[in-house]
Amino acid sequence: MKTIGLIGGMSFESTAIYYTGLNRMARDRFGGLVSAEVLLHSVNFAEIVALQKAGRWNEAGERLATIARNLETAGADCVLICTNTMHKVAERVQAAIDVPLINIIDETAASLAAAGRKRPLLLATRYTMEDGFYHAGMEAAGVDAMVPDEPGRARVHDIIFNELCAGHVLDASRSELLEIIDTARSAGADSVILGCTEICLSLDPASLALPGFDSTAIHCEAAASFAFGPNAVLATKRRYA
């Protein structure tokens, strides 16, 4: 078994999903009391959010790069950034280490392409929906992601930061997200990307009007395949098609 390095805390709500999921996958793969070999550095999310809001992405990238180097030095055989938004600085982080950075955008794009989905709706933070880095990763795999209109993007961003990252999962907000998905389906979307690692707290990708691709689950599965071998038994069946 290889050691997985996690850069977490962004938010800790979704990092807990990573930790639980990877350990369940290890137990399912090997049996008994086996758990995953994991190194976790959990940041103070408030400090990272402040850098995001100030547009200080270079500083944020250097901070995550330093953490990645420390994880590698401590024995990590791969590194995961446990958030979609901070993959804006993924190239900077990968350049700082010699072990693989398992990229959530690349893995999600590959899953979409393998399923023949070309026009997904991306639900994520404003940074992920609007800054272009996520779309570039999708386009490399032949996937053309669409996003909600401006009021929809603002609402999704608000739900993520003010509710889900704070541990508040509200039925009313779930209904709003489902309405955004219905609108996108009418506009030609053929699938949905849960493109923030907290959105799976609100939406079940198996119960949507369109096939759902949970980036958190996809990211964990990629890490499990790397660390446990390609025949790893997953803790839960993939909830997308």
Side-chain angles (χ1 to χ4, degrees):
M1 183 190 300
K2 296 178 181 177
T3 300
I4 301 168
L6 302 178
I7 305 177
M10 301 172 285
S11 67
F12 76 77
E13 297 286 346
S14 64
T15 301
I17 297 172
Y18 275 87
Y19 184 76
T20 299
L22 289 169
N23 278 291
R24 285 178 176 167
M25 291 175 189
R27 183 175 61 196
D28 288 350
R29 168 66 176 86
F30 298 106
L33 298 178
V34 173
S35 55
E37 294 279 356
V38 174
L39 294 171
L40 168 62
H41 183 122
S42 186
V43 304
N44 179 349
F45 192 30
E47 295 177 356
I48 299 299
V49 170
L51 294 175
Q52 292 173 345
K53 289 181 176 180
R56 294 159 60 187
W57 292 99
N58 287 338
E59 186 175 341
E62 182 54 38
R63 179 166 180 185
L64 265 59
T66 298
I67 293 169
R69 284 194 295 268
N70 290 341
L71 288 170
E72 181 180 15
T73 299
D77 296 300
C78 68
V79 172
L80 280 69
I81 303 172
C82 300
T83 167
N84 283 272
T85 296
M86 291 310 295
H87 277 71
K88 181 177 171 70
V89 300
E91 290 185 5
R92 174 69 188 88
V93 176
Q94 178 63 87
I97 56 178
D98 293 322
V99 298
L101 176 72
I102 298 180
N103 189 301
I104 197 170
I105 303 173
D106 294 344
E107 297 296 338
T108 303
S111 293
L112 284 155
R117 302 294 170 176
K118 300 293 186 181
R119 187 64 169 152
L121 170 68
L122 173 62
L123 297 178
T125 67
R126 269 195 181 276
Y127 310 113
T128 303
M129 290 188 286
E130 297 179 356
D131 281 9
F133 68 95
Y134 201 98
H135 288 78
M138 291 286 121
E139 289 168 2
V143 176
D144 181 19
M146 63 189 294
V147 297
D149 60 15
E150 200 287 329
R153 295 196 301 275
R155 184 60 186 131
V156 173
H157 184 90
D158 180 68
I159 289 170
I160 291 167
F161 273 101
N162 295 330
E163 297 176 19
L164 299 179
C165 287
H168 305 307
V169 182
L170 306 181
D171 289 340
S173 296
R174 180 183 298 109
S175 295
E176 290 183 74
L177 294 173
L178 293 174
E179 289 177 6
I180 290 171
I181 292 171
D182 282 338
T183 299
R185 180 177 62 170
S186 298
D190 66 4
S191 51
V192 180
I193 302 171
L194 307 190
C196 175
T197 52
E198 286 83 17
I199 293 183
C200 60
L201 294 169
S202 179
L203 297 179
D204 177 356
S207 302
L208 303 178
L210 293 168
F213 290 72
D214 179 358
S215 63
T216 307
I218 293 168
H219 207 194
C220 286
E221 290 177 12
S225 181
F226 177 88
F228 312 150
N231 296 319
V233 178
L234 303 182
T236 57
K237 183 180 179 181
R238 281 191 176 184
R239 296 181 294 176
Y240 50 86

